[in-house]
Amino acid sequence: MSGYIKVYFEKEIQGFGPVTVVGYIGEGATMSLTSHWNPPFLNDSVGDATALNKAADIAQASTGLTSKAEWNTILNWEGIEPLAFSLPVYFKAHSDAKKQVEDPIKFLEMMATPSLNEASPLGDVPETLILDVGRRIKITNAVIQDVQSELDSPRTRDGYRTENMVTLQLQAKQMASQSDLSSIHI
């Protein structure tokens, strides 16, 4: 199968060493880039002070005229969220259900969880992983925010799932700048 229809997750997992999980990109996979633009003066009026603002509100209510101006509505950029991914990932067993479906699901769950100590604090938070979507988008500092797997999928006689659609929510750990996008889209 072509690498362009697969998704790869790479991470060092305590007790297992470097682990790579490979699945098929499911229908409806998305990448999101969200900028925050807000009008910083939306609630301000000319000569804004609490008493003047109240008077302006009363005048607007009685006359239908506003003390707002066009400059009140100018949007200012206030930041960008890290790239976010919603990835349905399909696993199917061709010969070994444990290795081809169960283990990849287990490893994805392990990639999303911390390594905590039994009684003392200072455990390890989940580390970032490398996310490679279709050999065209590569994020080297992604975190898994949510892992959902089907519990009602077909199983072998030993109880291993023979196929599964795992839905993942991931996000880059930091926002990308314009210059980063050329290295993300490979």
Side-chain angles (χ1 to χ4, degrees):
M1 291 279 195
S2 169
Y4 300 124
I5 62 169
K6 295 179 181 177
V7 60
Y8 304 80
F9 306 89
E10 300 173 37
K11 184 177 178 178
E12 182 93 19
I13 297 180
Q14 189 176 11
F16 292 93
V19 173
T20 301
V21 173
V22 181
Y24 299 101
I25 300 169
E27 190 174 319
T30 62
M31 180 175 85
S32 172
L33 179 68
T34 305
S35 280
H36 295 281
W37 289 88
N38 294 309
F41 308 113
L42 182 63
N43 295 320
D44 295 343
S45 300
V46 177
D48 192 16
T50 305
L52 288 175
N53 203 25
K54 294 296 177 202
D57 289 345
I58 292 168
Q60 180 176 330
S62 58
T63 66
L65 300 174
T66 182
S67 63
K68 306 275 187 217
E70 285 183 16
W71 64 268
N72 293 76
T73 64
I74 296 173
L75 296 178
N76 285 348
W77 183 77
E78 293 189 358
I80 190 169
E81 291 185 23
L83 290 170
F85 298 83
S86 179
L87 291 176
V89 180
Y90 183 68
F91 297 101
K92 182 162 180 68
H94 299 286
S95 59
D96 187 333
K98 182 180 182 313
K99 287 183 181 176
Q100 295 171 324
V101 179
E102 290 293 336
D103 285 349
I105 294 170
K106 173 183 72 177
F107 288 136
L108 287 172
E109 291 170 347
M110 291 175 82
M111 290 177 182
T113 55
S115 178
L116 301 177
N117 298 316
E118 187 174 318
S120 63
L122 303 177
D124 295 324
V125 298
E127 294 181 20
T128 61
L129 57 91
I130 297 171
L131 170 65
D132 183 330
V133 182
R135 299 292 191 213
R136 289 289 172 243
I137 297 171
K138 190 167 190 171
I139 306 294
T140 58
N141 65 343
V143 293
I144 298 175
Q145 297 173 304
D146 187 46
V147 180
Q148 294 181 27
S149 60
E150 300 170 334
L151 296 176
D152 61 349
S153 58
R155 296 179 183 261
T156 65
R157 282 185 274 180
D158 297 330
Y160 297 121
R161 294 172 278 190
T162 58
E163 61 185 68
N164 205 285
M165 181 66 75
V166 176
T167 304
L168 298 162
Q169 302 298 322
L170 298 102
Q171 196 163 22
K173 192 160 183 185
Q174 66 189 48
M175 72 178 207
S177 69
Q178 207 175 67
S179 60
D180 295 328
L181 291 176
S182 62
S183 63
I184 290 170
H185 292 278
I186 51 178

